[in-house]
Amino acid sequence: YGHVLFPEAVHEPALDLAQALLAGVGRGWAERVFFSDDGSTGIEVALKMAFRTAQRRQMHVQQRSAALAPANHAARSVIVVGQADSYHGDTLGAMDSSPRSVFNAGQTPWYTERGVF
């Protein structure tokens, strides 16, 4: 088994597509584009990006509320909203963001249904 990563190598058609996405649907809110070779990885990255954004927003809210009322900034948990009867892939995050089904129940001892479906 081997894994090779060339983070500085650029595939010109992918670069063109990334620039078009950022100039089009991503204008005003997206700064980066992530391409994946499979759905599970795409879901994992989307979850991580969403959690990071939620964490940054929560830190901003906590800083503002701490300035107003120092004792009023309890941590909030993040909830994933998913589609019922869905399948998002075989990675842990992808499985956890789907309701219990034949695709994830019993697949790993770490599976935990998370979210609202």
Side-chain angles (χ1 to χ4, degrees):
Y1 174 79
H3 175 78
V4 179
L5 176 68
F6 299 106
E8 295 177 4
V10 177
H11 183 262
E12 190 170 354
L15 178 61
D16 292 343
L17 177 59
Q19 290 171 336
L21 290 169
L22 291 172
V25 297
R27 179 179 286 142
W29 66 272
E31 298 174 2
R32 298 181 188 114
V33 174
F34 177 83
F35 293 107
S36 174
D37 62 338
D38 63 70
S40 293
T41 304
I43 293 294
E44 290 285 338
V45 170
L47 288 168
K48 289 176 184 177
M49 291 170 72
F51 291 153
R52 178 180 283 174
T53 299
Q55 184 179 37
R56 286 181 179 164
R57 287 179 181 167
Q58 184 60 31
M59 287 181 358
H60 178 71
V61 168
Q62 288 176 350
Q63 289 170 350
R64 290 187 68 208
S65 65
L68 299 174
N72 188 24
H73 60 279
R76 297 173 127 178
S77 61
V78 176
I79 297 172
V80 174
V81 177
Q83 183 174 341
D85 300 322
S86 62
Y87 171 76
H88 300 302
D90 293 325
T91 58
L92 291 175
M95 286 194 297
D96 286 0
S97 64
S98 299
R100 183 172 297 280
S101 71
V102 297
F103 298 112
N104 52 27
Q107 295 294 322
T108 174
W110 299 314
Y111 169 72
T112 302
E113 183 179 287
R114 302 172 198 271
V116 177
F117 307 104

